[in-house]
Amino acid sequence: MSLSRFLIKRSLQGLFVIWGVITVVFGLRFISPGDPANVLLPPDVDPEVRAQVIAELGLNEPLYIQYWEFISGVPVGDLGLSLVTRTPVTARVLAKLPATLELAIAATVVAIVIAIPLGVLSATRRHEPADYGATVFSLVGISTPNFWLGVMLIIVLSVQFNLFPTSQRPIGFDGIVGLLTSGNLDAAIDGFGTWLWHITLPAITLGTYFTALITRLTRSGMLDQLGQTYVRATRAKGLPETLVRYKHALRNTLIPVITVIGLQLGTLIGGAVITEAVFAWPGLGTLIINSINARDWPVLQGSLIVVAVGFVLVNILVDALYAYVNPQVAYD
Amino acid sequence: MADNNSHINRRSYLKLAGGAAASAALAGCTGDDGEGTETTTTAGGGNETETTTTPSENGDTFDVTITQGQMPSGLDPHDHRETPTTIVVLHAYEGVLTRDADGAVQTALATNYERIEGENAVRFDLREGVTFHNGDELTPEDVAYSINRVVDEEVGFASPQSDQLAGVAGAEAIEGENAVKVNNDGLNPIVFSEFATYLDVMQQSWVENNDKSYIAQNVNGTGPFKLDSYTEDEVVVFSAYEEYWQERAAVDTLTFRAASEASTRVNQLLQGETDVIVNVPPQEVSRINNSDNASIAAAPSTRIIYNGLRYDLEPFDSVKFRQALNYAIDLESIVQNILGGFGAQTGQPTLPEFVGHNPDIDPYPYDPDMAEQLVEESGYAGAEIELNTPVGRYLKDLEVAQAVVGYIDELPNVTATVRQRDFGSLVDELLAGSIEKRPPWFLIGWGEATFDGGLVMEALLASDGTLTTWKNDEFDSLLEQAGNQSGEEREATLQEANALAHEQAPWIFLNQQFSVYGVNNAIKWEPRSDERIDAYAMSQP
């Protein structure tokens, strides 16, 4: 199967998944407790005012009409209006997406940069102190809840030693690019410094579990590959050990690692909720929490659709990369 | 000046006004950790009392950042019902009247307010020389339009605040004068209280020339701060308005941010990234007080936390059983150990700052032996009961509920459990419309905007009240009687009603909630009981 046919097939599957997510999320609002009108208005508000607000929000329409109105807007990017701010959901969600993407990608970069070398080191120095160190690190990393880690990093590194800010995102990557394109190089460099300074702790917090996971995966994959007969054959052929390890063994190890990285990146986009709350990071996670608290269903639906789309896209991308990394894998 | 010329049935009026007065009574607390709001009110009208706040004594300006639990839902002052939004927009918009930190009515955009003889109407004489942030002068038409925009759906939109001006029919500019006439449906005895708490004045042409979403993202008020920038869900930046009709604010740049996690807010404060934070949880108090750069500021709020008990269900239909529950809990310990001292014990539905509070009533003492004996006498020994509590709505609500249940469960003849509830679904049940549909035993908080114990009891204990779970003819008739009285006479009747409520124990009386803030030591600011954070009143020590 050609790459383009593969992408079309996977995209259609992805659309089906996204439709499923939309339908489930839409259905959830009707079995969840709490009427949006009761959250938006005090309980003793005049019944007429309540009825007006409910009508204005379209909450008194039959279910199938509400569903149709919602789903028919999705293909054209119309996710409706927020119940609380009455602003378009699409704009609101898209405004938050860069912050979450930045955080997810930064966490992934932290994870890849640390985990793959560490995993390789651990596998090639098996039963040596470096291996024990890496193993203990990954055990601790996997077992540490990230809300605790985030709070601890803030208390120690921010409050105690004053090395990092506790929270906020004063400038985004889009802002830095904006400065760059306007030719203001010094400001862009300053902006990048500020951005890096603010994103370091959230990225570490979000990425630690991920780092530990990839370290373990790389270590066990490498050990597995290094024991294979083809590795023995390459060694027997007289290839230098570096080439054996990095060209042959590592490349094969990376196949499952890339799968996990892809899946985890999708998870990170939707799973940064706690980290965002701890660092007051203005991304999708914060938006999701606020919209749940306010029963702002359109915003919640919109956020989850974006997360679902992100997840599906990353998965398609990972599958496409798969064949690139391992030509034995065919697009089917 | 009190309104003594009221001949309408006050009780029926209060029922009408209840919606306005208790604007945020229950659901107003839309923030985390029980962030709530009520605004201080005292009924009456009168002549000019100059606003007493002065911004800066030494003339230096400084910047302030305030971090709340959530960001405003928008900046249209007439299109919201939440405290965090009110706190933000009140820096840019003002009403004809306002209140000082103690809740007394003060003039703002009006210089004089009075009833118009022979009519169900009042007039506000407006201050000269007030300008909106766009430079245009305030006109009586703007004030009248703002009032109509709230109360009249035809003017603009269906404002969720329309019942905050209950009894107000509409307004018009008085021809040839710098004054506005407000027409009421009836006498509307608390009209000035309503205007002191609500109604932000907007410019008619600015509202009419812009669409709703623009108005929700921009600001054009007469207040001490004008908008510099607003990023939805992230940050609001104000700067001092140089042409303000009073002295320019000492605060130069005023920034509002939000962090939903209390520990994040505390860390921001300790790190100097923000200057004022809301809702400091008790366990974080010592960390702030032990720091070099910040300290705790707390004030009693107008919110009472209590356990409602349904009078028509076993075992709560027994007065002795209900009293037993009050004797069973160590309220002092709950206030000290769970709320960290940031609360006050109550023994009656009316808080000490409110009209009608009975100073002779003490909270129920902790007496488990008496509780056990009363349970036996009630005939309900062996009862199994379940407390419905919201989580994260009020300060330490779940912990308080667990403590209450723990004490009661310690009685050898009662078994008690806690059921955690989603606030929305609990409120749905509480608003079910009749006592029979409400939960048998629940924890809830109620804030009252008017500092009036009568309104609290009307809503929570009168047999036809919004959230009532009690029916007592003697109590009902006392409230009826108070509804036709005024002044000291009314106060005495309300005190009698409080004594009856204490004795009959329709609730397990819990605590008055405090508002607890963390404040940077570089800022001098006193918290208010109405939960407003007024940056105009901030100065440097």
Side-chain angles (χ1 to χ4, degrees):
Chain A
M1 191 188 287
S2 71
L3 178 61
S4 54
R5 280 195 63 191
F6 167 79
L7 288 179
I8 291 170
K9 188 180 155 201
R10 290 302 312 271
S11 303
L12 289 175
Q13 285 173 347
L15 283 180
F16 187 74
V17 170
I18 292 165
W19 171 77
V21 169
I22 293 171
T23 307
V24 168
V25 173
F26 187 84
L28 277 179
R29 67 193 272 187
F30 294 99
I31 55 170
S32 304
D35 183 343
N38 282 344
V39 180
L40 290 170
L41 301 168
D44 48 1
V45 77
D46 191 71
E48 267 183 40
V49 175
R50 183 182 298 273
Q52 278 163 4
V53 169
I54 287 174
E56 202 172 303
L57 297 174
L59 297 174
N60 54 353
E61 299 280 358
L63 205 56
Y64 64 92
I65 290 186
Q66 288 191 44
Y67 179 68
W68 173 248
E69 281 186 355
F70 177 66
I71 203 148
S72 59
V74 174
V76 292
D78 177 9
L79 300 173
L81 293 181
S82 158
L83 297 183
V84 177
T85 62
R86 318 279 172 94
T87 48
V89 171
T90 313
R92 209 156 158 224
V93 171
L94 290 182
K96 299 292 156 231
L97 191 58
T100 298
L101 278 181
E102 275 169 24
L103 188 54
I105 291 171
T108 309
V109 170
V110 167
I112 292 172
V113 168
I114 297 175
I116 293 180
L118 201 61
V120 172
L121 186 78
S122 182
T124 52
R125 305 253 170 104
R126 203 176 175 195
H127 300 315
E128 288 179 29
D131 181 28
Y132 294 133
T135 311
V136 168
F137 165 77
S138 47
L139 184 69
V140 171
I142 283 182
S143 336
T144 307
N146 61 1
F147 65 87
W148 181 86
L149 179 66
V151 171
M152 283 301 125
L153 286 175
I154 292 173
I155 289 177
V156 176
L157 297 181
S158 300
V159 178
Q160 207 64 37
F161 292 108
N162 206 8
L163 295 175
F164 292 98
T166 66
S167 54
Q168 306 292 349
R169 173 181 174 263
I171 185 165
F173 217 80
D174 43 345
I176 299 168
V177 173
L179 287 172
L180 260 184
T181 50
S182 67
N184 201 342
L185 188 64
D186 287 348
I189 292 171
D190 276 357
F192 182 73
T194 308
W195 177 81
L196 206 60
W197 193 46
H198 277 81
I199 206 170
T200 304
L201 294 190
I204 292 174
T205 304
L206 187 62
T208 296
Y209 170 83
F210 196 17
T211 310
L213 188 73
I214 303 290
T215 305
R216 290 181 92 157
L217 207 64
T218 310
R219 179 180 181 272
S220 62
M222 274 299 273
L223 284 176
D224 186 40
Q225 295 298 330
L226 288 172
Q228 297 277 334
T229 47
Y230 78 89
V231 171
R232 244 181 294 159
T234 52
R235 279 184 182 141
K237 212 165 63 176
L239 272 187
E241 185 62 22
T242 326
L243 274 185
V244 173
R245 280 180 191 169
Y246 298 107
K247 183 156 185 231
H248 293 279
L250 181 58
R251 194 159 172 180
N252 284 317
T253 304
L254 286 183
I255 295 168
V257 171
I258 287 177
T259 313
V260 172
I261 289 174
L263 288 175
Q264 286 289 323
L265 183 61
T267 313
L268 288 183
I269 293 171
V273 173
I274 291 168
T275 306
E276 288 190 7
V278 169
F279 289 93
W281 192 259
L284 275 184
T286 307
L287 192 65
I288 287 173
I289 290 185
N290 290 343
S291 58
I292 291 173
N293 284 339
R295 302 294 186 282
D296 196 345
W297 286 102
V299 173
L300 181 61
Q301 286 168 178
S303 308
L304 293 179
I305 288 170
V306 168
V307 170
V309 169
F311 209 93
V312 166
L313 282 181
V314 168
N315 267 284
I316 295 174
L317 198 70
V318 166
D319 284 348
L321 259 181
Y322 224 70
Y324 172 77
V325 178
N326 184 357
Q328 285 177 323
V329 177
Y331 292 118
D332 55 22
Chain B
M1 188 173 85
D3 255 310
N4 291 326
N5 51 353
S6 164
H7 299 296
I8 66 162
N9 180 325
R10 189 166 171 88
R11 185 170 179 214
S12 61
Y13 178 76
L14 291 178
K15 248 183 252 165
L16 168 76
S23 75
L26 254 179
C29 44
T30 46
D32 61 307
D33 310 329
E35 183 170 327
T37 187
E38 313 73 36
T39 309
T40 317
T41 318
T42 47
N47 296 317
E48 175 162 16
T49 320
E50 280 297 337
T51 308
T52 51
T53 48
T54 51
S56 170
E57 279 158 22
N58 54 18
D60 291 341
T61 60
F62 55 100
D63 296 341
V64 167
T65 301
I66 297 172
T67 304
Q68 306 193 79
Q70 66 187 68
M71 289 302 290
S73 61
L75 298 178
D76 185 336
H78 298 159
D79 192 16
H80 72 89
R81 285 288 281 244
E82 323 97 5
T83 312
T85 308
T86 305
I87 288 174
V88 171
V89 298
L90 281 178
H91 286 91
Y93 290 99
E94 297 173 299
V96 281
L97 303 178
T98 187
R99 294 177 185 283
D100 63 15
D102 299 323
V105 176
Q106 308 252 313
T107 56
L109 297 182
T111 52
N112 180 50
Y113 53 107
E114 61 190 14
R115 292 186 172 278
I116 298 175
E117 286 300 320
E119 289 184 59
N120 286 331
V122 296
R123 69 172 278 158
F124 294 101
D125 292 291
L126 300 182
R127 194 175 294 279
E128 301 281 350
V130 175
T131 54
F132 287 101
H133 298 159
N134 63 1
D136 294 345
E137 197 149 327
L138 170 78
T139 66
E141 285 76 15
D142 293 324
V143 175
Y145 175 79
S146 300
I147 295 168
N148 293 332
R149 187 170 185 252
V150 171
V151 301
D152 187 354
E153 200 192 330
E154 307 284 306
V155 181
F157 71 118
S159 168
Q161 300 172 355
S162 59
D163 60 342
Q164 289 179 340
L165 295 183
V168 173
E172 57 194 289
I174 298 175
E175 216 179 308
E177 293 184 63
N178 189 23
V180 174
K181 177 182 174 189
V182 176
N183 297 305
N184 297 316
D185 290 327
L187 188 64
N188 200 353
I190 60 169
V191 62
F192 296 123
S193 290
E194 293 178 343
F195 277 100
T197 309
Y198 309 114
L199 202 266
D200 299 319
V201 172
M202 302 177 81
Q203 186 184 18
Q204 180 172 4
S205 58
W206 186 78
V207 174
E208 287 178 343
N209 293 337
N210 292 300
D211 63 24
K212 226 174 138 212
S213 69
Y214 181 87
I215 294 166
Q217 306 276 328
N218 292 278
V219 160
N220 181 35
T222 59
F225 294 94
K226 63 184 174 60
L227 183 69
D228 274 0
S229 69
Y230 171 45
T231 309
E232 201 176 31
D233 301 319
E234 276 183 47
V235 64
V236 183
V237 183
F238 290 113
S239 60
Y241 177 44
E242 302 290 345
E243 311 303 321
Y244 187 48
W245 57 270
Q246 291 190 81
E247 196 179 334
R248 177 198 190 276
V251 176
D252 219 20
T253 303
L254 172 64
T255 307
F256 281 94
R257 292 187 178 276
S260 57
E261 280 298 305
S263 65
T264 304
R265 294 196 295 271
V266 172
N267 287 325
Q268 288 178 347
L269 178 73
L270 296 181
Q271 183 68 354
E273 292 169 14
T274 188
D275 300 301
V276 178
I277 60 170
V278 301
N279 297 332
V280 177
Q283 72 271 17
E284 298 274 18
V285 165
S286 60
R287 199 150 75 91
I288 293 178
N289 275 337
N290 293 338
S291 74
D292 298 331
N293 64 334
S295 39
I296 291 289
S301 79
T302 53
R303 185 173 300 278
I304 188 168
I305 309 291
Y306 69 97
N307 275 190
L309 306 166
R310 245 178 70 181
Y311 85 106
D312 58 329
L313 279 185
E314 293 181 355
F316 306 117
D317 57 352
S318 159
V319 178
K320 286 190 173 172
F321 190 83
R322 298 197 301 254
Q323 289 171 337
L325 298 183
N326 278 284
Y327 281 115
I329 62 167
D330 187 348
L331 188 53
E332 189 181 353
S333 169
I334 289 175
V335 168
Q336 287 309 320
N337 299 320
I338 295 178
L339 299 175
F342 293 111
Q345 301 176 56
T346 67
Q348 57 186 306
T350 300
L351 295 172
E353 297 83 359
F354 283 31
V355 173
H357 177 258
N358 189 328
D360 301 330
I361 297 173
D362 291 325
Y364 276 88
Y366 176 46
D367 190 343
D369 295 335
M370 169 78 97
E372 187 184 341
Q373 187 192 329
L374 283 167
V375 170
E376 290 298 331
E377 289 172 16
S378 74
Y380 287 127
E384 292 179 13
I385 51 179
E386 184 182 65
L387 171 60
N388 292 265
T389 181
V391 183
R393 200 70 190 181
Y394 309 109
L395 192 66
K396 293 269 164 190
D397 45 14
L398 178 61
E399 290 83 351
V400 169
Q402 284 167 335
V404 166
V405 161
Y407 282 119
I408 292 170
D409 198 48
E410 268 176 29
L411 296 177
N413 47 8
V414 181
T415 306
T417 49
V418 175
R419 185 174 165 213
Q420 299 182 30
R421 297 292 304 273
D422 170 77
F423 182 73
S425 67
L426 183 59
V427 166
D428 286 347
E429 277 180 35
L430 291 175
L431 292 176
S434 68
I435 296 178
E436 293 73 31
K437 292 177 185 158
R438 291 183 182 131
W441 180 23
F442 55 90
L443 181 146
I444 206 81
W446 184 266
E448 179 52 66
T450 56
F451 281 140
D452 190 289
L455 283 180
V456 178
M457 290 188 278
E458 282 285 348
L460 307 182
L461 289 166
S463 55
D464 55 356
T466 314
L467 287 190
T468 195
T469 47
W470 193 41
K471 187 175 187 313
N472 180 295
D473 293 340
E474 189 186 347
F475 186 82
D476 278 349
S477 69
L478 278 171
L479 287 189
E480 188 93 44
Q481 195 182 325
N484 292 312
Q485 294 170 328
S486 61
E488 285 175 14
E489 212 183 5
R490 177 168 180 264
E491 173 123 28
T493 311
L494 291 177
Q495 286 177 348
E496 206 180 319
N498 275 306
L500 182 65
H502 173 83
E503 184 227 315
Q504 291 285 314
W507 297 351
I508 300 177
F509 295 99
L510 295 178
N511 61 290
Q512 176 180 22
Q513 184 167 292
F514 279 24
S515 306
V516 187
Y517 304 89
V519 185
N520 191 319
N521 290 339
I523 307 276
K524 194 174 148 202
W525 172 71
E526 292 296 323
R528 299 161 58 112
S529 56
D530 62 8
E531 296 180 6
R532 270 187 63 185
I533 303 172
D534 185 6
Y536 186 69
M538 288 178 186
S539 58
Q540 287 182 305

